[in-house]
Amino acid sequence: MKKKIEKKYVDYLVKKTEEIVNIDSPTGYTEEAASFVKKEFEALGFNAYYTVKGGIIVEFGGKDKDNGLLLEAHVDTLGGMVSRIKPNGRLELTNLGGMNPNNAETENVKVITKFNGEYEGTFQLNDASIHVNGKYNEQKREWSSCEVVLDEDVKDADDVKKLGISIGDIVCFDPNFRVTKSGYIKSRFLDDKLSVGILFAYAKYLKDNNITPERAIYAHITVFEEVGHGGCGSVPKGCTEVISVDMGCVGENLDCSEKQVSICAKDSAGPYNYNVVKSLIKAAMDNDIDYAVDVYPFYGSDAEASLRAGNDLRHGLIGAGVYASHGYERSHKDGAENTLRLLIAYTTD
């Protein structure tokens, strides 16, 4: 049976993706985003609860409780943390997750203090005026060679400290979300908030169509994926399989485009379960879903973290194609739709 979906589900997932993208949630600072996720799934009629670590488990129902499937996506993103208040009143950062200063230069940021509100600024190369800095093009972009220029009247470190800014404060980078007329979705942090949007649409589809899956289906929205331990706990009892719904890679020597769903056969940690990969491919083929199978050279997932933690599970990884990962990323409505269709086909046939 070919699983077609109505346009309203794609519109819904894009809307929810924009909403969650615009909630700051660099890894280690995810409470507001997790609260949003919990309330949204509950509003759709599903039981959702917090893990001790701060993630969300969602119960989609299902008949066979001893052969459960866990879908994992993460709401934590890349970001920064104040590591030094410099004598000139600028802020030096350390990265949260794989944030790369080459991809962050000139971006607007928000500094979230622990007790004294928020301040705006811009992440710039040190001495960023090209008409002044004759070595501008030669300087390597590193965390030590870049800084946050606060949009406040500060001249030295004491002025900054008087604002209540201190070491360990969180720095959030603007996502700059937009959808083009041609259907491209552009934003920071589509990895992995686009997948969270897809899971919202998956939940809505189950609810609208009164579907009870043959297997028990759960979702785990993790909050520490970007530092490697998001999926290391909280696997519901009875689960035998885990699938990460994360970004699909788009780049040189890979087959996937932004308009496809990517099925990962292997990444930097090794191969995904052969039978899971094969079953995902068959579900895509049987339902005329536009897909690609790829090997990702520099990638790890929540599903692998679940196995490394000692869980006895089959594992897989799928996701909408995303270009320029960990930078200003781009996907497409078609890729999101194909991912949603594959989830529906794989879990309800």
Side-chain angles (χ1 to χ4, degrees):
M1 177 180 174
K2 294 180 180 179
K3 303 288 184 181
K4 300 295 184 182
I5 59 170
E6 300 171 63
K7 180 178 178 294
K8 68 178 182 179
Y9 293 107
V10 178
D11 293 341
Y12 176 79
L13 77 83
V14 172
K15 177 176 180 290
K16 291 303 173 184
T17 298
E18 181 174 10
E19 289 176 9
I20 193 70
V21 158
N22 284 316
I23 299 174
D24 295 318
S25 59
T27 192
Y29 182 79
T30 55
E31 187 173 341
E32 184 181 354
S35 176
F36 174 86
V37 165
K38 182 174 183 290
K39 290 175 182 176
E40 289 295 315
F41 281 118
E42 288 174 335
L44 289 167
F46 296 100
N47 184 45
Y49 58 90
Y50 287 105
T51 69
V52 173
K53 196 153 62 174
I56 304 295
I57 299 291
V58 187
E59 298 174 338
F60 292 131
K63 299 173 186 176
D64 189 350
K65 307 294 186 193
D66 296 322
N67 187 29
L69 169 62
L70 179 62
L71 304 173
E72 293 182 317
H74 65 94
V75 78
D76 63 309
T77 70
L78 311 180
M81 178 182 282
V82 177
S83 61
R84 184 165 76 104
I85 300 173
K86 299 168 69 171
N88 62 357
R90 310 287 171 84
L91 306 178
E92 187 172 310
L93 304 185
T94 183
N95 59 299
L96 295 177
M99 195 81 191
N100 189 313
N102 291 285
N103 289 329
E105 186 182 0
T106 75
E107 187 61 85
N108 290 315
V109 302
K110 183 190 302 177
V111 181
I112 301 177
T113 72
K114 301 175 194 68
F115 306 106
N116 296 280
E118 302 173 356
Y119 296 93
E120 293 187 22
T122 312
F123 187 70
Q124 299 275 24
L125 179 70
N126 295 347
D127 195 14
S129 298
I130 198 165
H131 291 90
V132 177
N133 183 354
K135 296 183 178 180
Y136 182 93
N137 292 324
E138 302 170 24
Q139 289 181 280
K140 188 175 181 180
R141 272 56 175 173
E142 300 175 311
W143 293 107
S144 60
S145 65
C146 296
E147 61 191 7
V148 170
V149 181
L150 291 166
D151 295 328
E152 300 291 333
D153 187 14
V154 292
K155 297 180 176 62
D156 54 34
D158 286 340
D159 287 341
V160 174
K161 292 174 183 177
K162 288 174 185 176
L163 296 176
I165 294 173
S166 62
I167 306 303
D169 286 344
I170 299 294
V171 178
C172 306
F173 291 76
D174 279 5
N176 299 315
F177 184 95
R178 66 180 297 177
V179 181
T180 70
K181 292 180 181 178
S182 54
Y184 284 96
I185 305 167
K186 303 196 295 184
S187 181
R188 293 186 185 274
F189 317 134
L190 295 180
D191 171 18
D192 187 34
K193 290 185 172 180
L194 179 58
S195 295
V196 177
I198 290 168
L199 287 179
F200 283 144
Y202 174 76
K204 182 172 174 56
Y205 180 89
L206 294 181
K207 187 68 175 178
D208 288 352
N209 293 278
N210 197 28
I211 294 172
T212 300
E214 289 299 315
R215 307 171 66 181
I217 308 290
Y218 307 88
H220 183 189
I221 309 302
T222 71
V223 292
F224 283 102
E225 192 276 347
E226 293 293 358
V227 288
H229 63 84
C232 281
S234 307
V235 175
K237 183 179 179 182
C239 284
T240 59
E241 184 177 337
V242 59
I243 293 179
S244 277
V245 188
D246 208 325
M247 53 155 277
C249 294
V250 175
E252 289 188 12
N253 302 317
L254 299 180
D255 286 344
C256 190
S257 76
E258 294 100 319
K259 292 189 174 186
Q260 296 175 300
V261 55
S262 179
I263 300 170
C264 182
K266 176 185 181 291
D267 65 15
S268 63
Y272 285 86
N273 182 277
Y274 182 77
N275 289 322
V276 171
V277 172
K278 194 163 70 168
S279 295
L280 288 164
I281 293 169
K282 186 176 187 305
M285 293 172 62
D286 289 349
N287 290 272
D288 291 338
I289 294 168
D290 193 5
Y291 76 98
V293 179
D294 271 315
V295 171
Y296 305 160
F298 310 107
Y299 197 110
S301 75
D302 273 327
E304 289 166 337
S306 295
L307 270 66
R308 285 195 299 271
N311 293 289
D312 186 15
L313 300 163
R314 299 181 298 273
H315 69 318
L317 167 64
I318 66 171
V322 172
Y323 181 65
S325 57
H326 282 195
Y328 188 58
E329 298 166 339
R330 189 179 83 158
S331 190
H332 194 278
K333 288 182 180 180
D334 289 353
E337 179 178 354
N338 282 312
T339 306
L340 175 57
R341 288 184 60 212
L342 181 55
L343 280 174
I344 292 168
Y346 188 73
T347 62
T348 63
D349 270 354

